[in-house]
Amino acid sequence: MRYHDADATLPAVAAAVNDRDSAGALWLTIIFHPDPSRIGQRAQVPVTARSAPWFLGRCNPVFGGLDVADAPLNDQYVSRRALQFVYSSQGLELQRLEGTSRCRVADGELFSAVVLEREQLQRGVPVMLSHSVVLLLREAPRPVAGHTRTRAGEHILGASVRMQMLRGEILRAARSDLDILIRGETGSGKELVAGAIHAASARRAGPLVSVNVAAIPPELAAAALFGSARGAFTGAERATAGYFREAAGGSLFLDEIGDAAASVQPQLLRALQQREIQSVGGAVESVDLRVISATDVSLDEPESDFRAALRHRLAACEIRVPPLREHPEDIGELFVHFIRAAASETDSELPLPGPDLDPTVIAAWADIFFIALRYSWPGNVRELANVARQIVLAGDDFPRLDAHLLALLTRAEEQPQVRCAAPVRRRIQDIPEQVFERAMLTNNFEIKAVAACLGVSRAAVYRRIEQTEGYRLASRIPLPEISQMLDDCDGDCERAAARLQVSFSSLRVRLRNLHSGAA
């Protein structure tokens, strides 16, 4: 969607920014910062179609909203005026001022200006300042006033308005004793929500029994859920209680309820309506429990064999868990949590995000968080946790994405497209040594990526390497040194390239040429 007339189309956006009672406004959320305690803080962007330009930088704006002191970014590598925000006839324009710190916006390096349309702002636009701060620019509702992490949601992370709302729904559901249907995509956290409801309810002293309904064979569903008497069927050598009895006095969580066998659905409906169950071969008896169910499929499709009466009885109260793409503001907080958890589980020596790290390590983490922010996460929070674990397992003394993971997270179809002004080429001699060093490290010494990052030609990068002490090309490293490094890395060419501080692709080409007999 394009904006053509600033006065006719932009006031709605501008009013949303300034109207205290409006549902939407423009926000900047910290996704990565050298001080991880600040991840999740946010600041409003006070720019309208008629206001003067507004500047984002080291000392402006002030970010807040968490249990840490409100403060500007205060990062020494971010320029005081890094980006100018101004509305044009086309939309919100971000302008990088000449001579300021590096800036990346969505799908590329920003050399001059980028125009953002409202659809992009509603989805969210990743912004990286220098090599150390990652932000999300997004049109979103205002935070809930006086928000606190209640007992009903203390383990459900995320400072976004959407997650605040979810914690409120959990608390209200927990205060009732209604049966609950939790809906949401796979990996979005439905079981965590069920656990939070039980933990905050009056039944918290009772058991929480979790059952994956899809894993129960249809012919065994009745016995598994309601129990069986001894000798009720072939192989029933002893009586079984069944999940409903096991959950008596507490809560029964039926995950993937949409896959419940059609043959057992009438018994489920009776159990919910009458709070009575009949074990296979046994008598009818009352049971006192709350049923919490969850599904990632629609139960309302005409072709579905799920009974409408059961669907409505399950959903006396219904909660929808949002997919991660609907609250990208929380990616930073979730990601750093999973990284720390994985490091603790594996006793990893990987340096975790923190203000005391070497700037090159901070830059590597910032790059990883920027890539994560641009990905759409079809597997939601579960996929994010898996990626964090893989990063920790792949790292030793430096954070990196292996080739497979990098390819997964940077697929073109997953990335939001942003219209950028034509890049302006820079002179290699004008790039400070520290900026060049960071570009080499964060791009794993890949010449093409370094050139794109700095806005110079590949030939210029090669010249800079040749002229600067401390940098080498894979083609110039003595073979005995390469051989020894490969031995030290158990033949892992990617790890060897990282430790030699050369391009992995170039080292692989050289080794391939050696094996084929080429010079």
Side-chain angles (χ1 to χ4, degrees):
M1 163 175 157
R2 301 266 305 183
Y3 294 127
H4 300 289
D5 185 300
D7 291 333
T9 61
L10 288 176
V13 180
V17 174
N18 282 335
D19 183 358
R20 295 181 63 88
D21 298 322
S22 174
L26 279 179
W27 299 92
L28 283 164
T29 303
I30 299 177
I31 302 299
F32 180 83
H33 191 279
D35 179 0
S37 69
R38 303 201 54 196
I39 293 175
Q41 283 189 311
R42 54 195 279 164
Q44 190 174 350
V45 178
V47 62
T48 72
R50 298 179 179 84
S51 68
W54 180 82
F55 294 93
L56 166 66
R58 184 192 312 167
C59 303
N60 185 66
V62 172
F63 290 80
L66 296 180
D67 296 330
V68 295
D70 296 356
L73 293 175
N74 284 339
D75 185 83
Q76 61 179 320
Y77 299 108
V78 175
S79 299
R80 291 183 178 276
R81 287 190 167 190
L83 278 180
Q84 175 179 281
F85 288 60
V86 62
Y87 274 110
S88 69
S89 60
Q90 295 178 309
L92 178 63
E93 185 171 309
L94 273 58
Q95 298 178 0
R96 178 182 175 184
L97 306 180
E98 185 176 356
T100 57
S101 52
R102 174 193 181 191
C103 179
R104 292 171 66 185
V105 175
D107 57 346
E109 193 79 13
L110 182 62
F111 298 105
S112 52
V114 57
V115 176
L116 304 173
E117 300 173 352
R118 187 173 186 185
E119 181 181 354
Q120 295 164 320
L121 294 172
Q122 290 174 331
R123 185 173 57 234
V125 179
V127 177
M128 178 189 282
L129 298 179
S130 186
H131 301 263
S132 50
V133 173
V134 178
L135 305 170
L136 177 68
L137 174 64
R138 187 168 185 242
E139 182 179 322
R142 290 179 171 276
V144 178
H147 161 66
T148 58
R149 295 267 170 94
T150 65
R151 180 165 55 86
E154 59 186 352
H155 300 303
I156 297 179
L157 301 180
S160 69
V161 172
R162 188 63 190 88
M163 296 310 287
Q164 293 177 36
M165 292 169 62
L166 177 62
R167 282 189 284 268
E169 292 172 28
I170 290 170
L171 182 58
R172 289 189 290 275
R175 287 171 176 166
S176 77
D177 202 34
L178 298 173
D179 293 330
I180 298 169
L181 176 63
I182 304 171
R183 307 185 71 172
E185 295 180 6
T186 181
S188 57
K190 298 184 293 296
E191 186 169 2
L192 189 64
V193 169
I197 292 170
H198 173 78
S201 74
R203 295 181 177 272
R204 57 183 171 273
L208 171 63
V209 177
S210 297
V211 182
N212 186 328
V213 176
I216 305 175
E219 64 274 13
L220 299 178
L225 291 169
F226 309 117
S228 62
R230 181 181 178 184
F233 53 86
T234 302
E237 298 179 355
R238 59 184 179 84
T240 60
Y243 295 124
F244 269 76
R245 282 200 191 98
E246 290 177 5
S251 304
L252 176 62
F253 176 53
L254 300 177
D255 197 10
E256 299 190 50
I257 189 64
D259 293 314
S263 59
V264 81
Q265 289 183 31
Q267 293 171 275
L268 274 172
L269 179 58
R270 175 177 177 173
L272 292 169
Q273 287 179 330
Q274 307 297 332
R275 286 306 192 260
E276 291 181 347
I277 61 171
Q278 182 174 18
S279 61
V280 178
V284 175
E285 61 182 275
S286 298
V287 62
D288 173 34
L289 81 169
R290 171 192 235 174
V291 175
I292 305 173
S293 53
T295 181
D296 59 4
V297 299
S298 174
L299 305 180
D300 304 313
E301 298 298 328
E303 62 272 15
S304 173
D305 62 357
F306 201 87
R307 292 192 170 215
L310 177 58
R311 181 255 183 272
H312 295 304
R313 189 62 186 82
L314 287 168
C317 175
E318 185 167 324
I319 292 177
R320 176 180 175 270
V321 182
L324 190 53
R325 64 181 174 274
E326 290 186 8
H327 56 113
E329 295 89 348
D330 298 318
I331 287 176
E333 182 180 353
L334 290 165
F335 204 24
V336 76
H337 167 78
F338 291 134
I339 288 168
R340 286 171 171 165
S344 177
E345 291 170 2
T346 59
D347 293 325
S348 171
E349 297 182 359
L350 180 69
L352 302 181
D356 298 327
L357 293 180
D358 182 276
T360 56
V361 179
I362 290 176
W365 276 122
D367 196 52
I368 289 173
F369 274 70
F370 185 77
I371 291 171
L373 184 58
R374 294 184 61 221
Y375 184 58
S376 67
W377 300 107
N380 293 297
V381 179
R382 182 185 295 127
E383 184 182 13
L384 182 68
N386 289 340
V387 167
R389 188 176 298 108
Q390 291 180 61
I391 291 171
V392 170
L393 292 174
D396 39 28
D397 58 350
F398 195 81
R400 60 176 56 84
L401 295 170
D402 63 34
H404 170 75
L405 203 54
L406 181 62
L408 170 70
L409 298 179
T410 55
R411 289 182 302 190
E413 64 268 24
E414 299 291 353
Q415 311 305 321
Q417 298 301 309
V418 176
R419 297 179 295 105
C420 291
V424 178
R425 284 291 180 185
R426 305 164 74 186
R427 297 190 306 169
I428 190 69
Q429 58 267 36
D430 293 337
I431 296 174
E433 180 58 34
Q434 187 178 50
V435 173
F436 183 76
E437 178 184 5
R438 285 193 170 196
M440 291 284 282
L441 286 168
T442 55
N443 291 283
N444 298 319
F445 305 94
E446 296 291 345
I447 305 303
K448 181 179 179 180
V450 172
C453 170
L454 296 174
V456 299
S457 67
R458 277 180 273 182
V461 175
Y462 280 117
R463 288 197 304 272
R464 181 72 171 255
I465 291 173
E466 294 281 6
Q467 297 168 2
T468 307
E469 185 177 354
Y471 296 115
R472 298 184 294 178
L473 299 173
S475 59
R476 303 294 176 86
I477 298 179
L479 289 179
E481 184 179 351
I482 293 177
S483 179
Q484 181 61 52
M485 186 60 71
L486 285 170
D487 287 343
D488 293 344
C489 296
D490 298 322
D492 188 329
C493 183
E494 188 173 7
R495 286 178 56 201
R499 294 180 62 175
L500 289 168
Q501 296 193 327
V502 296
S503 160
F504 165 59
S505 58
S506 297
L507 181 60
R508 185 171 54 182
V509 168
R510 185 174 183 194
L511 292 173
R512 188 179 297 134
N513 289 340
L514 288 171
H515 287 306
S516 66

